[in-house]
Amino acid sequence: QKEVEQNSGPLSVPEGAIASLNCTYSDRGSQSFFWYRQYSGKSPELIMFIYSNGDKEDGRFTAQLNKASQYVSLLIRDSQPSDSATYLCAVNRPRTYKYIFGTGTRLKVLA
Amino acid sequence: DAGITQSPRHKVTETGTPVTLRCHQTENHRYMYWYRQDPGHGLRLIHYSYGVKDTDKGEVSDGYSVSRSKTEDFLLTLESATSSQTSVYFCAISESAYSNQPQHFGDGTRLSIL
């Protein structure tokens, strides 16, 4: 089992719809969860981070964390073609300085 | 944007040659990381540093070494480059790993080993 798993996609959604991206992790001790956006040929860019169970909203983005089920998700409301990118989930590895990344989900927002 | 500069941005070199990539930060962050990114594998940790002269291995450290002689610079060296080290290399920094601060990435170095 991979430490952090994401569906590779592509996930295709129409413009204006809600895109839902999911990530599961294996270590119950993980406490910090991060979402990055990566455009093709560019570096990962931090979108959001979440530490506590529940929802955290920032503009069109909502991160959701469920530690009991070991998943974290990212919702993008009113999706735009400019949201088309690969979204990386990252989780801290407990008791280390390390972060583990999923392989990313490619999102395509269709105009 | 976090002040992280990677150099060079692109490099083509031959098998067997040594290569050094540089990561320079202006944020005075303690933690610095080197990753490689390859299709199907995502970001994989090569080495990281938790302070000046304090470094440790990541998951894919074979064939790589690092040095950090001052807070702002973290160097990654491929001692004898191989074609399997053709990749995109990213440097990342974090203010505090144990208190779970996020990482911020440099623009990357695209390295081709012929």
Side-chain angles (χ1 to χ4, degrees):
Chain A
Q1 183 187 7
K2 289 183 179 179
E3 289 185 81
V4 178
E5 293 204 63
Q6 298 180 255
N7 188 316
S8 61
L11 172 66
S12 296
V13 299
E15 183 175 359
I18 296 175
S20 178
L21 304 163
N22 299 313
C23 172
T24 59
Y25 61 95
S26 61
D27 194 326
R28 285 195 172 274
S30 294
Q31 297 178 333
S32 304
F33 307 87
F34 308 92
W35 283 101
Y36 290 84
R37 177 176 61 199
Q38 187 175 24
Y39 292 114
S40 180
K42 301 296 185 182
S43 63
E45 172 193 10
L46 180 70
I47 300 175
M48 292 193 69
F49 54 90
I50 186 167
Y51 303 146
S52 303
N53 270 331
D55 295 1
K56 179 181 178 182
E57 187 174 316
D58 184 0
R60 296 187 297 114
F61 298 97
T62 299
Q64 299 177 317
L65 176 59
N66 184 323
K67 289 187 178 180
S69 300
Q70 295 177 246
Y71 81 79
V72 56
S73 60
L74 179 70
L75 302 180
I76 307 174
R77 289 182 299 281
D78 188 24
S79 295
Q80 300 297 309
S82 58
D83 294 325
S84 297
T86 297
Y87 289 79
L88 305 174
C89 172
V91 176
N92 78 299
R93 180 180 283 167
R95 299 169 297 283
T96 75
Y97 302 124
K98 300 178 183 179
Y99 302 74
I100 307 302
F101 285 79
T103 54
T105 298
R106 190 156 66 98
L107 174 67
K108 298 175 74 172
V109 180
L110 308 173
Chain B
D1 289 348
I4 309 168
T5 304
Q6 291 187 233
S7 58
R9 293 293 315 281
H10 303 271
K11 187 172 183 67
V12 180
T13 190
E14 294 183 346
T15 300
T17 59
V19 177
T20 295
L21 308 183
R22 181 185 184 227
C23 179
H24 177 80
Q25 58 137 334
T26 59
E27 305 296 319
N28 200 36
H29 284 355
R30 179 179 175 185
Y31 300 90
M32 299 185 75
Y33 303 79
W34 278 108
Y35 293 90
R36 60 178 290 175
Q37 189 174 40
D38 305 287
H41 291 280
L43 284 161
R44 293 184 289 175
L45 182 64
I46 304 171
H47 281 280
Y48 64 99
S49 170
Y50 48 96
V52 174
K53 297 186 180 179
D54 292 323
T55 65
D56 205 348
K57 296 179 179 181
E59 281 72 33
V60 291
S61 59
D62 287 348
Y64 301 95
S65 63
V66 290
S67 66
R68 191 168 178 201
S69 59
K70 43 188 178 178
T71 299
E72 57 266 36
D73 288 327
F74 192 32
L75 304 180
L76 176 71
T77 297
L78 290 64
E79 290 134 11
S80 178
T82 68
S83 59
S84 65
Q85 294 175 311
T86 292
S87 187
V88 180
Y89 291 83
F90 288 104
C91 173
I93 65 174
S94 176
E95 184 172 6
S96 175
Y98 257 83
S99 65
N100 304 318
Q101 294 299 304
Q103 294 183 318
H104 298 277
F105 287 82
D107 289 337
T109 294
R110 189 171 296 273
L111 179 63
S112 297
I113 315 293
L114 304 179

